[in-house]
Amino acid sequence: MPTPDFSNVQGGSASTAPSETGNNGGRTYVVAKGDSLSAIAKREYGNAKEWRRIYDANKDVIKDPDLIYPGQTLRLP
Amino acid sequence: MRTRLMPHLTLFVAAALAVAACGPKRASGSTSMKVTEIDLGRSLKPDLKIDDNATTFHPTDVIYASVETKGTGPATLATRWTYQDNQVVNETSRTISPNGDDPVRTEFHISKPDGWPEGTYHLVVMINGTTAGTKDFEVKK
């Protein structure tokens, strides 16, 4: 039986305590099933067109703005 | 000469002892955090507690671990997720600085876009590199 490949596993974390690392005090959002950047922007900022703000703040983890995955942790600027 | 030095020497030793006495207090404050609960599930409530406790998951699930800690920080909370024979799945750490006596919840989650292989998994939660709790779970179709 071949060894499973876990190289594409995505992980993240959040805490109710102040953090010394991570998002420089900003908020984070954990992507759920069915989410899109525009849906998150609509929910968080009241305007779906604000999706680019989220994309720009997360270019290190989002390669394609049309492709985000459940479990990804995004910074909300 | 010796009698002149003695007061200075006594003062120096007293100061050194005072500094040494301050050290352990600070150290014990930074390591006083302990894990009081680890829960696993598929979703979280807004307070970062698990919404639906589970130890068996489906291949497409996002797997959440909600860790309750008590004590003051800063401390580095880390998770190490492994599969079957200790194959590392993911390692994530987060340094938190609780500033009160209330319990703190920290969530860690993992997902795999192409699905989890079936089998048994093991989660280790560490505080400052020392194991503070473990949990086992299973993935089934």
Side-chain angles (χ1 to χ4, degrees):
Chain A
M1 188 173 156
T3 305
D5 176 15
F6 291 107
S7 62
N8 62 345
V9 170
Q10 293 163 346
S13 75
S15 181
T16 58
S19 175
E20 290 200 339
T21 57
N23 56 6
N24 298 323
R27 291 180 301 144
T28 58
Y29 177 82
V30 180
V31 176
K33 273 182 194 168
D35 268 341
S36 64
L37 287 183
S38 53
I40 298 168
K42 169 90 174 163
R43 193 180 310 132
E44 297 296 326
Y45 305 126
N47 186 351
K49 291 179 181 172
E50 297 282 339
W51 68 268
R52 184 163 276 283
R53 284 174 59 194
I54 302 174
Y55 176 53
D56 287 341
N58 293 278
K59 280 186 173 168
D60 54 333
V61 292
I62 301 174
K63 304 301 170 206
D64 177 350
D66 290 325
L67 207 55
I68 56 176
Y69 300 100
Q72 266 185 315
T73 301
L74 304 180
R75 291 180 289 275
L76 296 179
Chain B
M1 191 66 181
R2 186 184 298 170
T3 51
R4 270 190 184 179
L5 276 177
M6 279 305 282
H8 297 288
L9 191 64
T10 307
L11 209 61
F12 175 78
V13 170
L17 285 174
V19 168
C22 288
K25 275 185 188 171
R26 186 176 293 174
S28 68
S30 66
T31 56
S32 69
M33 194 181 294
K34 61 178 181 181
V35 169
T36 49
E37 200 170 290
I38 303 171
D39 299 311
L40 298 174
R42 295 184 187 85
S43 59
L44 290 171
K45 297 176 189 172
D47 60 5
L48 302 186
K49 290 180 181 173
I50 294 292
D51 199 19
D52 54 344
N53 282 48
T55 52
T56 304
F57 295 86
H58 302 297
T60 54
D61 286 337
V62 176
I63 300 167
Y64 291 91
S66 175
V67 180
E68 184 186 81
T69 51
K70 286 181 181 168
T72 53
T76 299
L77 207 55
T79 51
R80 181 180 168 89
W81 309 74
T82 54
Y83 173 70
Q84 312 252 92
D85 299 325
N86 262 341
Q87 185 180 357
V88 177
V89 171
N90 178 266
E91 290 178 301
T92 300
S93 66
R94 188 176 191 90
T95 301
I96 58 173
S97 303
N99 45 23
D101 293 330
D102 293 334
V104 160
R105 279 274 166 181
T106 302
E107 69 86 10
F108 295 88
H109 60 270
I110 53 172
S111 64
K112 194 173 188 308
D114 56 351
W116 298 109
E118 286 187 273
T120 55
Y121 292 75
H122 185 63
L123 167 68
V124 177
V125 177
M126 291 166 281
I127 294 179
N128 293 337
T130 303
T131 299
T134 64
K135 211 82 176 171
D136 291 314
F137 61 96
E138 196 175 4
V139 172
K140 277 184 187 174
K141 281 184 183 165

